């Protein structure tokens, strides 16, 4: 059997004898597109606001999903798993709620409130069956930066003494700020959900989220170092605040409380060891060993028995009130100061929640409604703000526990919230002697999963360098410019990479794979051969205002013809010819006048002289064919070179391009704008001047509609030059038919194969 390498090197395009090429003009006649008549805006609004019992019930089920799935809840199959999962998550949520409240710069009890109200509201409104919402490190550190900037410790010094702080006044002020922050975050999320803006999270790519959460973990780690070492350090929120905090800690390292440091080290070692054992023997354990809860109970007992605060100066949590708080209205006067931070927290919190939700939904085969998730988490924050809760998000660690311990629905979250309720009502005051170093240790150990994301740098280096650059820029911006500014820079850079990718398109000349209808880049596929006298130009991205000039320049270069220079040469040659003819005309006129004086009659040849149809044999070695008086006139025998009064490259003595047809592959183009249409007009006009026909191929319906609205098609550019595929265009240009080409229609000879 012969291989492709051993076959005849002469490439013959695949063109069966009976195959017919169909252009867009033919398709408009055979199968015209029908325009979709959309109802008017008023009709759509009226249909949406029209109310009926069925529609009201459907909307109720859409916005309160628990009414849809709870009546069909399979008690026998799911209840035991949800109960075990709920107890497990509730046990973990207790220490994390206390610890993350400290991370947010608030008294620990408010972490318990945040672990109850919002969690139960999400149980009613959420569509994910496995995520556990509540306190989360990234959101808490963003809240902490806002509280530190608006209510710093310096504003609450007692009597000008820099040693003592009025913690009661400071905590009250910070609680008020956290309430209004949660209120605004919830308001933003509800509004975005109602206007179906759930797709906003698509602008936060996976590398961006990974880099941002990893940098956030570094912020969290640095913010907890003061609790690990037992030193007092005021935090800043301006750019480079992280560097400032590290420098301040290093400068005060001599003030370290040895008892606090030893407590922290012992707690971290025990937590890491037990988490390792939980992971190793996960298949043999019904539920993970609740080491965090055990750590809380044991350390609180030791602190109370030994009186660590009095004897060793180890700072503890302090007073934890028992019972629930009455709802309060937020202080609306602070809106203007935190609106930007609230939007950033709303976007980040939602991005983390929907990302986790989609992961579990894909794993377990159900669907998560992104817009309803916005509304669910928005109402969780909005209603929770009246009960002195701070903003929430989904927690990675608790969600994994909820799923791995047999959780099947949000019933597990409801059970977990009731565990927290019992602690708030009865057991909260038992943890008043809990050392803050223990909570800081729990926070740092739970960052292990986020720090594991550093391994993605190596993966991205091998797979996609642009995504790696996004990860690095996001990480660096968040480290250097704080959480909110870092997020804005990251999103802006991520969007810029999209623009750069379109501007760095892959342009290529395509050739036909032997005896197939497949076309590939001739520089990368040796089996693809260019079709003689036909150029096929391909762009890997949409042609629009940002890359239109590059598209045009690359097209000229890839075709191997300096189109603009050739057009200039042609115009100069035409101008030179016209000057020559005008000079001959003036000379003939003078000779005609002289002939009148001699013969007394007009020169007949001059009467029939037409510019462009005759040549004057002046200073040429040619025999005159027509002589009248003293005027020598040579009739034009170049009719096959110039037709219709138009000069061709051949008649002007210029070299023609080595191809007669150019096919622009638009299969990768998704839309066209006014700049694209303008560039296409220029391409058609420029190549027409050098006697090359231009065709479009692979245009989808949206592109065709855009070209129509852009008024590309006219008397000279028609839909007969647009084909559904490259192969249709090639078939049209290579098959035997009686039709004439564009140039032949204007009098030029048919140059097709």
């Amino acid at each position: 059997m012969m291989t492709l390498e051993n076959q005849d090197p002469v490439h013959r395009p695949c063109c069966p004898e009976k195959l017919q090429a169909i252009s867009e003009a033919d398709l408009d006649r055979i199968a015209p597109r029908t325009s979709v008549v959309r109802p008017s805006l008023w009709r759509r609004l009226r249909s949406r606001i029209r109310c009926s019992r069925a529609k009201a019930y459907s909307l109720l089920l859409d916005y309160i999903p628990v009414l849809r799935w709870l009546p069909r809840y399979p008690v026998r199959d799911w209840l035991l798993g949800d109960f075990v999962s709920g107890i497990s998550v509730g046990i973990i949520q207790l220490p994390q709620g206390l610890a993350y409240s400290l991370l947010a710069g608030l008294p620990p009890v408010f972490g318990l409130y945040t672990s109850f109200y919002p969690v139960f509201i999400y149980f009613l409104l959420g569509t994910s069956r496995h995520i556990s919402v509540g306190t989360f490190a990234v959101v808490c550190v963003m809240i902490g930066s806002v509280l530190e900037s608006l209510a710093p410790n310096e504003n609450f010094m007692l009597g000008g003494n820099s040693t003592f702080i009025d913690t009661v006044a400071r905590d009250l002020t910070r609680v008020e700020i956290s309430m209004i922050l949660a209120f605004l975050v919830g308001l933003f999320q509800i509004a975005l959900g109602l206007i179906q803006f759930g797709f906003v999270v698509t602008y936060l790519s996976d590398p961006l989220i990974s880099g941002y959460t990893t940098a956030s973990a570094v912020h969290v780690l640095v913010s907890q170092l003061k609790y690990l070492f037992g030193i007092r350090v005021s935090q800043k929120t301006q750019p480079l605040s992280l560097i400032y905090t590290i420098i301040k800690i290093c400068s005060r390292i001599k003030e370290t409380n040895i008892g606090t440091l030893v407590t922290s080290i012992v707690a971290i070692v025990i937590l890491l060891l037990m988490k390792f054992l939980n992971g190793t023997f996960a298949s043999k354990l019904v539920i993970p060993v609740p080491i965090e809860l055990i750590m809380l109970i044991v350390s609180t007992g030791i602190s109370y028995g030994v009186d660590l605060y009095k004897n060793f100066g180890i700072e503890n949590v302090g007073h934890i009130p028992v019972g629930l708080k009455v709802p309060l209205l937020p202080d609306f006067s602070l809106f203007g100061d935190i609106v930007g931070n609230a939007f950033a927290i709303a976007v980040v919190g939602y991005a983390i929640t929907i990302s986790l939700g989609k992961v579990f939904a894909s794993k377990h085969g159900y669907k998560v409604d992104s817009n309803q998730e916005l509304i669910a988490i928005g109402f969780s924050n909005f209603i929770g703000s009246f009960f002195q809760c701070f903003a929430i998000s989904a927690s990675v660690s608790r969600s994994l526990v909820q799923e791995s311990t047999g959780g099947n629905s949000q019933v597990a979250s409801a059970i977990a919230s009731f565990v927290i309720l019992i602690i708030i009502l009865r057991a909260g005051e038992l943890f008043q002697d809990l050392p803050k170093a223990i909570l800081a240790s729990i926070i740092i150990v739970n960052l292990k999963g986020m720090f594991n994301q550093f391994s993605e740098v190596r993966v991205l280096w091998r797979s996609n360098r642009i995504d790696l650059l996004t990860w690095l820029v996001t990480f660096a911006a968040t480290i250097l410019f704080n959480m909110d500014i870092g997020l804005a820079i990251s999103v802006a850079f991520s969007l810029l990479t999209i623009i750069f990718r379109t501007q760095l398109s892959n342009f290529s000349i395509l050739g036909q794979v032997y005896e197939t209808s497949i076309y590939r880049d001739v520089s990368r596929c040796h089996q693809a051969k260019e079709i003689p006298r036909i150029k096929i130009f391909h762009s890997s991205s949409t042609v629009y205002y940002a890359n239109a000039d590059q598209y045009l320049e690359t097209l000229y270069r890839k075709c191997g013809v300096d189109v603009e220079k050739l057009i200039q040469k042609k115009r100069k040659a035409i101008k030179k010819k016209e000057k020559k003819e005008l000079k001959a005309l003036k000379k003939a006129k003078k000779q005609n006048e002289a002939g009148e004086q001699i013969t007394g009659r007009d020169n007949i040849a001059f009467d029939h002289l037409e510019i462009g149809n005759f040549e004057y044999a002046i200073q040429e070695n040619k025999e005159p064919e027509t002589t009248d008086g003293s005027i020598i006139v040579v009739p034009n025998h170049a009719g096959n070179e110039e037709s219709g009064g138009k000069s061709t490259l051949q008649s002007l003595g210029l070299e023609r391009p080595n191809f007669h047809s150019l096919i622009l592959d638009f299969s990768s183009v998704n839309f066209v704008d006014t700049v694209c249409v303008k560039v296409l007009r220029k391409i058609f006009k420029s190549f027409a001047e050098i006697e090359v026909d231009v065709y479009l191929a692979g245009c989808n319906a949206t592109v065709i509609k855009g070209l129509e609205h852009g008024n590309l098609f006219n008397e000279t550019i028609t839909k007969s030059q647009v084909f559904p595929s490259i192969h249709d265009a090639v078939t049209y240009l290579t098959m035997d038919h009686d039709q004439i080409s564009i140039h032949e229609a204007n009098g030029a000879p048919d140059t097709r194969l």
Side-chain angles (χ1 to χ4, degrees):
M1 174 180 279
M2 293 180 63
T3 62
L4 289 174
E5 289 79 1
N6 297 328
Q7 290 177 352
D8 185 359
V10 179
H11 185 75
R12 297 180 179 85
C14 176
C15 183
E17 294 182 0
K18 294 185 179 181
L19 187 61
Q20 292 184 353
I22 299 177
S23 66
E24 287 293 332
D26 299 326
L27 282 175
D28 285 346
R29 291 192 301 270
I30 299 170
R33 292 187 178 93
T34 57
S35 58
V36 179
V37 180
R38 296 187 63 187
S40 63
L41 179 61
W42 168 245
R43 285 190 176 184
R44 280 180 284 168
L45 287 175
R46 192 170 61 179
S47 65
R48 282 182 174 272
I49 62 177
R50 182 180 297 167
C51 188
S52 65
R53 176 177 292 184
K55 189 167 185 179
Y57 182 68
S58 176
L59 285 174
L60 185 65
L61 295 181
D62 288 340
Y63 288 111
I64 309 179
V66 69
L67 299 178
R68 187 188 299 274
W69 61 263
L70 190 59
R72 296 178 291 177
Y73 180 78
V75 177
R76 291 184 178 179
D77 297 332
W78 286 6
L79 184 58
L80 180 60
D82 282 338
F83 180 79
V84 173
S85 176
I87 297 296
S88 304
V89 172
I91 290 172
I92 296 173
Q93 207 161 28
L94 169 62
Q96 288 191 0
L98 295 171
Y100 289 149
S101 183
L102 193 69
L103 177 60
L106 296 167
V109 68
F110 293 95
L112 298 181
Y113 300 153
T114 306
S115 300
F116 170 62
Y117 291 106
V119 174
F120 187 74
I121 294 166
Y122 184 84
F123 156 73
L124 301 174
L125 305 178
T127 60
S128 174
R129 298 194 333 231
H130 294 90
I131 65 172
S132 173
V133 300
T135 56
F136 184 56
V138 175
V139 175
C140 287
V141 75
M142 294 178 75
I143 296 170
S145 67
V146 177
L147 300 185
E148 189 68 34
S149 63
L150 296 180
N153 290 333
E154 290 80 1
N155 293 357
F156 302 94
M157 296 299 178
L158 290 173
N161 191 333
S162 60
T163 304
F164 299 100
I165 301 172
D166 187 355
T167 56
V168 175
R170 182 199 63 185
D171 292 343
L172 286 175
T173 304
R174 290 186 174 183
V175 168
E176 289 180 356
I177 297 172
S178 68
M179 287 172 61
I180 189 60
L181 190 62
F183 179 87
L184 277 177
V185 168
L187 212 59
F188 277 127
Q189 291 171 334
I190 293 169
L192 292 174
L194 291 176
I195 63 175
Q196 308 291 297
F197 212 65
F199 68 88
V200 70
V201 75
T202 59
Y203 294 103
L204 303 179
S205 62
D206 288 344
L208 188 150
I209 293 175
S210 174
Y212 187 78
T213 52
T214 306
S216 301
V218 176
H219 275 279
V220 173
L221 174 63
V222 172
S223 70
Q224 297 304 298
L225 290 178
K226 60 183 179 181
Y227 297 113
L228 294 182
F229 291 98
I231 58 179
R232 292 183 179 273
V233 177
S234 59
Q235 289 184 250
K236 303 292 182 180
T237 57
Q238 70 269 22
L240 301 179
S241 61
L242 188 73
I243 310 299
Y244 171 83
T245 303
I246 294 174
I247 294 174
K248 290 287 288 184
I249 290 174
C250 292
S251 66
R252 296 188 179 183
I253 197 72
K254 294 180 180 179
E255 302 174 10
T256 300
N257 185 300
I258 301 300
T260 302
L261 181 60
V262 171
T263 301
S264 302
I265 293 174
V266 172
I268 290 174
V269 170
I270 293 174
L271 287 169
L272 287 174
L273 178 62
M274 290 306 300
K275 283 185 176 290
F276 172 76
L277 294 176
N278 276 337
T280 304
F281 300 102
S283 59
K284 298 180 180 179
L285 297 173
V286 178
I287 61 172
V289 177
I291 184 58
E292 292 172 340
L293 179 62
I294 295 172
M295 180 71 68
L296 254 65
I297 296 172
V298 172
S299 60
T300 302
I302 294 174
S303 177
Y304 177 78
V306 182
D307 199 353
L308 295 177
Y309 178 70
K310 183 178 180 180
N311 296 325
F312 300 97
I314 299 175
E315 191 175 359
N316 56 32
V317 169
H319 176 64
I320 298 179
V322 176
L324 299 174
K325 295 283 187 178
V326 295
L328 298 173
L329 283 175
D331 183 4
F332 299 108
S333 63
L334 297 172
F335 266 27
D337 297 328
I338 60 175
V339 63
N341 301 100
F343 185 79
I345 294 173
V347 173
V348 172
Y350 169 66
I352 295 168
T353 301
I354 194 63
S355 299
L356 272 176
K358 287 185 175 179
V359 167
F360 288 118
S362 175
K363 181 178 180 180
H364 294 276
Y366 63 92
K367 186 178 180 182
V368 172
D369 187 341
S370 58
N371 292 308
Q372 179 59 28
E373 285 296 296
L374 258 177
I375 295 173
I377 196 172
F379 269 108
S380 298
N381 284 316
F382 180 77
I383 297 176
S385 67
F386 296 103
F387 295 93
Q388 302 181 12
C389 301
F390 50 86
I392 65 158
S393 175
S395 167
V396 178
S397 59
R398 292 197 305 273
S399 298
L400 290 172
V401 170
Q402 182 165 317
E403 189 252 356
S404 62
T405 53
N408 296 293
S409 70
Q410 282 300 318
V411 170
S413 294
I415 294 172
S417 67
F418 279 110
V419 171
I420 299 299
L421 176 62
I422 294 171
I423 294 170
I424 292 173
L425 295 177
R426 297 295 179 186
E429 60 183 352
L430 299 178
F431 296 99
Q432 291 181 154
D433 294 310
L434 174 66
K436 288 185 177 180
I438 298 296
L439 295 179
S441 301
I442 292 172
I443 291 172
I444 290 173
V445 170
N446 281 316
L447 296 176
K448 181 174 175 290
M450 292 188 189
F451 285 125
N452 286 338
Q453 294 178 137
F454 277 112
S455 62
E456 292 187 14
V457 172
R458 182 175 59 183
V459 176
L460 292 174
W461 172 263
R462 296 175 179 175
S463 59
N464 194 307
R465 302 289 173 84
I466 295 179
D467 283 345
L468 172 62
L469 190 60
T470 300
W471 195 101
L472 294 174
V473 169
T474 301
F475 180 83
T478 307
I479 290 291
L480 297 176
F481 297 102
N482 218 337
M483 306 289 289
D484 49 353
I485 300 176
L487 178 63
I489 293 173
S490 306
V491 173
F493 181 81
S494 181
L495 294 176
L496 281 176
T497 60
I498 299 174
I499 298 175
F500 290 147
R501 290 186 189 193
T502 59
Q503 290 185 321
L504 299 176
S505 302
N506 179 31
F507 300 103
S508 57
I509 296 295
L510 303 184
Q512 187 180 36
V513 178
Y514 187 77
E515 290 189 349
T516 69
S517 59
I518 299 172
Y519 297 83
R520 292 288 183 266
D521 185 353
V522 294
S523 64
R524 297 185 178 184
C525 180
H526 298 297
Q527 285 74 29
K529 305 295 181 182
E530 285 192 61
I531 300 172
R533 305 194 69 187
I534 297 175
K535 289 284 184 183
I536 305 172
F537 183 70
H538 171 78
S539 170
S540 61
S541 64
T542 294
V543 183
Y544 68 115
Y545 71 92
N547 64 356
D549 290 337
Q550 184 189 18
Y551 180 88
L552 184 62
E553 293 172 3
T554 309
L555 171 63
Y556 289 166
R557 186 176 69 253
K558 289 282 187 179
C559 288
V561 178
D562 193 337
V563 178
E564 294 180 350
K565 187 175 181 181
L566 185 56
I567 291 174
Q568 289 178 359
K569 285 183 178 181
K570 181 179 179 181
R571 290 175 180 174
K572 286 182 180 179
I574 292 174
K575 192 173 181 180
K576 184 176 180 181
K577 181 180 177 182
E578 288 176 349
K579 286 182 179 179
K580 187 176 180 181
E581 290 178 346
L582 184 60
K583 185 176 180 181
L585 179 61
K586 290 180 179 179
K587 185 174 180 180
K589 186 175 181 181
K590 289 180 181 179
Q591 291 178 351
N592 187 53
E593 291 174 354
E596 283 185 1
Q597 295 176 359
I598 296 172
T599 62
R601 64 186 180 84
D602 294 341
N603 192 294
I604 299 172
F606 186 77
D607 290 341
H608 297 283
L609 183 66
E610 291 183 0
I611 298 176
N613 294 331
F614 293 92
E615 290 183 354
Y616 297 91
I618 301 171
Q619 298 178 353
E620 293 194 11
N621 298 323
K622 290 185 179 180
E623 290 295 328
E625 298 188 11
T626 305
T627 304
D628 192 351
S630 60
I631 302 174
I632 302 173
V633 183
V634 179
N636 182 17
H637 289 288
N640 59 339
E641 297 179 359
E642 298 184 34
S643 55
K646 293 184 179 180
S647 300
T648 62
L649 294 173
Q650 185 177 356
S651 67
L652 295 172
L654 299 175
E655 184 180 357
R656 297 182 59 184
N658 60 358
F659 58 98
H660 59 70
S661 298
L662 170 65
I663 301 173
L664 303 179
D665 179 19
F666 262 42
S667 58
S668 299
V669 177
N670 299 319
F671 66 92
V672 293
D673 59 3
T674 54
V675 178
C676 177
V677 174
K678 184 178 178 180
V679 167
L680 284 176
R681 285 199 194 100
K682 184 174 181 180
I683 292 173
F684 275 92
K685 182 180 178 181
S686 300
F687 279 93
E689 287 199 55
I690 62 172
E691 300 165 24
V692 174
D693 296 343
V694 180
Y695 301 88
L696 298 178
C699 300
N700 60 45
T702 303
V703 173
I704 294 292
K705 190 175 181 179
L707 296 177
E708 291 174 345
H709 290 172
N711 297 319
L712 175 69
F713 301 115
N714 49 38
E715 294 180 357
T716 56
I717 305 174
T718 67
K719 285 190 177 181
S720 298
Q721 295 165 257
V722 183
F723 292 88
S725 66
I726 298 175
H727 196 60
D728 279 303
V730 171
T731 302
Y732 171 78
L733 293 171
T734 55
M735 71 183 189
D736 296 327
H737 51 74
D738 297 329
Q739 300 177 16
I740 57 176
S741 71
I742 299 170
H743 290 304
E744 190 179 3
N746 293 327
D750 189 356
T751 54
R752 284 191 302 269
L753 296 176

